[in-house]
């Protein structure tokens, strides 16, 4: 009996439950196509919405930054990890987002776990959507505030919590994703902002899947709804549509000053590498110059969705390029995903516990980098596999 036998048992349980998995290993860049086990595969599974992760202009910016700044930041930002690149990135992002100030973190997850606990305290209340991202849930857990959860996008439930509990707290913070990643639906932000005003609450929108996707040139869900200046904390990631890695809060100056003193990922974890920061600046500058990338993303998404709908697939309630294709049971979903891969298309299966039982789906992520030929090929493969597995007639 070894000391770690209990962990081996846990792994064994995963295998018995049929949820054990191994990781796909890419042999090159994450792009419209990926190289897997020596094969060329159409990639419909990344969050690289705009195809920037392997973009020449971003790669050049990263190489230049390495020559001038080296490969590591060397310290947390509050000691000597800060540099002109990070300062420029924050200014460029504030211009892009049309908000007063931006403060960057090493990732979107870091941003949530660092920001939420820093902006509320004991005696405050956080009200969170039931389907919020795991990093929000972790951020909320780390906070000393009381917590309440409202049913997904249910404004009557949110109002019920506000009307019964508002009076007992100093600050109340409503937290929601801007775009929900499993179904691709949007939070009803105009209603949330209205309720927040009515009940004197603050609003916190994690727009990880909205930034780079919705609004003018990807300015995000707040821009899409015309709510500039109305949301107190706007979280974005630099790891998805922006194509690199990092997270940020777009907010007001005093919040930025406070987070520089109290957000633990900024105090206790090293600043991002200069190459990543420089590549991110290049990405945001590109979006400030042209809407071509977001336009192509939406054109591709519409083309792909229309193709699947015509074949009779149920593609859910998505309002964004996220395209869930509903399959049903866990086993059938995994078989569907496996058959797609065998036919040269990578689309990951998503099953319980990530989504409720019997609502298994494969989630297709279209990007601006796909050609119409890529998408038509993928639609053809969906048609063949769908018929073979009895998902469509
Ligand atoms: C992906 C995601 C994150 C995490 O962002 P990273 O930059 O990958 O750490 C946070 N919040 C939401 C809503 C996300 O979808």
């Amino acid at each position: 009996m070894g000391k770690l036998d209990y962990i081996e048992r846990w792994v064994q349980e995963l295998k018995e439950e049929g949820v054990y998995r191994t990781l796909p290993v890419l042999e090159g860049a994450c792009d419209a196509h990926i190289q897997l086990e020596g094969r060329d595969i159409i990639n419909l599974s990344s969050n690289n919405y705009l195809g920037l992760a392997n973009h020449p202009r971003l790669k050049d910016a990263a190489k230049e930054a390495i020559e001038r700044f080296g490969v590591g930041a060397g310290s947390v930002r509050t000691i000597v990890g800060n540099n002109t690149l990070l300062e420029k990135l924050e200014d460029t992002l504030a211009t892009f987002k049309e908000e007063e100030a931006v403060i960057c973190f090493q990732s979107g997850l870091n941003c949530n776990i660092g920001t939420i606990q820093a902006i509320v305290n004991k005696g405050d209340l956080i009200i969170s959507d039931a389907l919020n991202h795991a990093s929000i849930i972790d951020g909320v857990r780390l906070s000393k505030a009381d917590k309440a959860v409202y049913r997904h996008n249910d404004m009557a439930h949110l109002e019920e919590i506000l009307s019964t509990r508002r009076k007992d707290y100093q600050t109340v913070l409503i937290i929601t994703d801007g775009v929900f990643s499993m179904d691709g639906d949007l939070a009803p932000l105009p209603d949330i902002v209205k309720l927040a005003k009515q009940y004197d609450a603050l609003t916190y929108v994690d727009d990880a899947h909205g930034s780079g996707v919705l609004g003018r040139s990807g300015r995000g869900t707040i821009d899409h709804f015309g709510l500039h200046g109305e949301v107190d904390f706007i979280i974005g990631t630099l790891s998805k549509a922006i194509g690199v890695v990092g997270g940020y809060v777009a907010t007001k100056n005093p919040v930025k000053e406070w987070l520089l003193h109290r957000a633990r990922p900024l105090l206790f974890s090293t600043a991002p590498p200069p190459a990543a920061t420089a590549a991110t600046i290049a990405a945001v500058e590109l979006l400030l110059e042209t809407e071509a990338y977001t336009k192509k993303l939406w054109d591709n998404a519409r083309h792909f969705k229309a193709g699947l709908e015509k074949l009779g697939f149920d593609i859910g309630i998505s309002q964004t390029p996220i395209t869930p294709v509903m399959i049903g049971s866990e086993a059938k979903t995994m078989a569907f995903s496996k058959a797609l891969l065998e036919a040269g298309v990578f689309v990951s299966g998503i099953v319980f516990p990530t989504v409720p039982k019997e609502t298994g789906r494969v989630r297709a992520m279209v990007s601006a980098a796909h050609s119409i030929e890529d998408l038509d090929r993928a639609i053809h493969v969906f048609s063949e596999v769908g018929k073979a597995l009895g998902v469509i007639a």
Side-chain angles (χ1 to χ4, degrees), residues 107-110 112 133 135 177 181 206 208-209 237-240 246-247:
S107 74
L109 180 141
N110 262 311
N112 280 327
H133 188 260
S135 60
D177 280 21
S181 60
D206 180 348
H209 282 276
T237 179
L238 304 169
S239 325
K240 291 181 172 134

Side-chain angles (χ1 to χ4, degrees), residues 68-97:
R68 179 159 165 220
F69 289 87
V71 293
S75 150
V76 297
R77 272 186 87 182
T78 49
I79 303 182
V80 290
N82 196 35
N83 55 43
T84 50
L85 291 173
L86 274 164
E87 295 284 324
K88 182 173 178 194
L89 172 58
E90 292 182 338
D91 289 345
T92 311
L93 273 170
T95 303
F96 177 63
K97 298 293 281 190

Side-chain angles (χ1 to χ4, degrees), residues 306-383:
L308 291 185
E309 268 189 319
K310 203 166 145 218
L311 288 168
F313 283 106
D314 172 6
I315 59 169
I317 55 164
S318 176
Q319 297 163 271
T320 65
I322 295 170
T323 308
V325 181
M326 302 315 208
I327 308 294
S329 79
E330 284 69 56
K332 196 167 187 174
T333 304
M334 298 324 284
F336 196 94
S337 168
K338 190 161 168 251
L340 289 175
L341 180 57
E342 275 159 17
V345 180
F346 193 106
V347 188
S348 55
I350 298 183
V351 295
F352 181 82
T354 307
V355 294
K357 280 216 162 102
E358 299 301 317
T359 70
R361 80 261 332 245
V362 294
R363 191 182 56 160
M365 305 291 277
V366 173
S367 93
H370 291 109
S371 66
I372 292 296
E373 294 70 39
D374 290 335
L375 298 175
D376 286 343
R377 170 80 201 142
I379 291 165
H380 175 73
V381 168
F382 263 89
S383 159

